[in-house]
Amino acid sequence: MLSDVMEDYLKAIYILQERDDPPVSTSEIAEYLDVTPPTVTSMVEKLDERGFVEREKYKGVELTDEGITVALEVLRHHRLLEAYLTEHLDYDWSEVHEEADVLEHHISEEFERRVAEALGNPTVDPHGDPIPDADLSPPADAEHTRLSAHDPGTLLEISRVSDRDEDELRYLKDANITPGTVVRIVDVAPFGMVTVAVSDGGRQSLPEEIADSIRVKRVETDAVSTEEVPEA
């Protein structure tokens, strides 16, 4: 049986692999989990011994098929719990990440099934992250790009936002920058600030690190209603 910490590591490695191609470096894992590199090295050795990761010296680690399955199960629990907490227990989307981090290790498969049914078997969580299905198949790769990668004038739909910073999530909600919202890039400053127009007529300037963490998909003007199209 895996410990909660081991499951956290496998989930983190999966997320980092999804964000950037493997192998994942020790320093990336340490930064993501806010632990020291020697701590990561020790845990990775244990996961390697148990067949959940493969290590490549001086390069990093990659999940094995068994490691991917465990990570997907934990992610399914986590993202279903986030959805349930927001939809049925009136949590704000900025509050659910830490709650789900604790609960994800301790729910039964029957509880998971009932939560999924109560929610109508959603495919994404409140932050737009894909929820693995009950068969634990990896979610299909969506053609999402970083908000910061687009030029002024581009019309985009918000697909995913990071769920790890409560203050950032509260700010994005107040700014109406949430999954499903259509925005238009207004300006990209030389020092990294990205300004977007939203459908309510407002404009928001986002630091580059926040714009980097937001995933979007390009949309055409004729694919959305007039009310949803922000002015440039």
Side-chain angles (χ1 to χ4, degrees):
M1 185 171 178
L2 289 174
S3 67
D4 294 358
V5 175
M6 286 180 171
E7 289 184 348
D8 285 338
Y9 270 80
L10 295 174
K11 181 180 70 171
I13 295 168
Y14 181 90
I15 291 170
L16 292 169
Q17 284 186 184
E18 184 187 39
R19 188 180 72 186
D20 302 303
D21 292 335
V24 179
S25 70
T26 297
S27 59
E28 286 179 290
I29 300 169
E31 181 179 2
Y32 188 86
L33 293 173
D34 195 24
V35 295
T36 64
T39 300
V40 173
T41 299
S42 176
M43 178 57 72
V44 163
E45 288 175 354
K46 295 176 183 177
L47 294 172
D48 184 30
E49 290 171 0
R50 298 186 63 168
F52 294 106
V53 301
E54 291 180 350
R55 289 190 297 164
E56 191 171 352
K57 198 171 183 180
Y58 305 121
K59 291 189 176 181
V61 301
E62 182 173 357
L63 294 177
T64 62
D65 288 345
E66 189 173 0
I68 289 172
T69 298
V70 173
L72 287 170
E73 182 173 27
V74 179
L75 277 174
R76 177 170 168 80
H77 290 177
H78 182 98
R79 292 171 179 173
L80 282 172
L81 286 164
E82 287 193 335
Y84 190 83
L85 289 168
T86 54
E87 291 189 28
H88 290 275
L89 298 183
D90 202 28
Y91 275 73
D92 186 80
W93 77 332
S94 66
E95 302 173 320
V96 295
H97 179 72
E98 289 190 6
E99 294 279 16
D101 264 350
V102 174
L103 296 170
E104 67 191 15
H105 306 289
H106 306 294
I107 66 172
S108 68
E109 299 312 299
E110 176 62 15
F111 185 86
E112 173 207 302
R113 183 187 67 78
R114 293 193 183 199
V115 167
E117 285 186 358
L119 293 168
N121 294 302
T123 58
V124 295
D125 73 7
H127 312 100
D129 291 319
I131 299 174
D133 63 25
D135 294 331
L136 301 181
S137 303
D141 289 334
E143 295 183 3
H144 297 160
T145 52
R146 299 176 191 270
L147 177 64
S148 57
H150 294 274
D151 296 324
T154 309
L155 194 65
L156 304 162
E157 180 180 325
I158 306 298
S159 301
R160 301 171 65 174
V161 300
S162 172
D163 66 354
R164 292 171 59 80
D165 189 305
E166 290 186 22
D167 291 336
E168 182 180 315
L169 284 169
R170 281 191 286 267
Y171 170 77
L172 291 175
K173 184 178 179 180
D174 289 343
N176 195 28
I177 299 175
T178 57
T181 299
V182 176
V183 302
R184 190 186 297 276
I185 303 291
V186 175
D187 183 56
V188 180
F191 50 84
M193 193 72 76
V194 178
T195 301
V196 299
V198 295
S199 55
D200 63 5
R203 292 190 177 190
Q204 299 294 333
S205 293
L206 305 171
E208 186 175 20
E209 61 269 23
I210 293 180
D212 272 347
S213 71
I214 298 172
R215 295 296 186 270
V216 296
K217 60 182 179 182
R218 188 186 292 266
V219 295
E220 301 300 330
T221 303
D222 59 5
V224 295
S225 67
T226 304
E227 293 78 12
E228 291 180 289
V229 179
E231 296 293 332

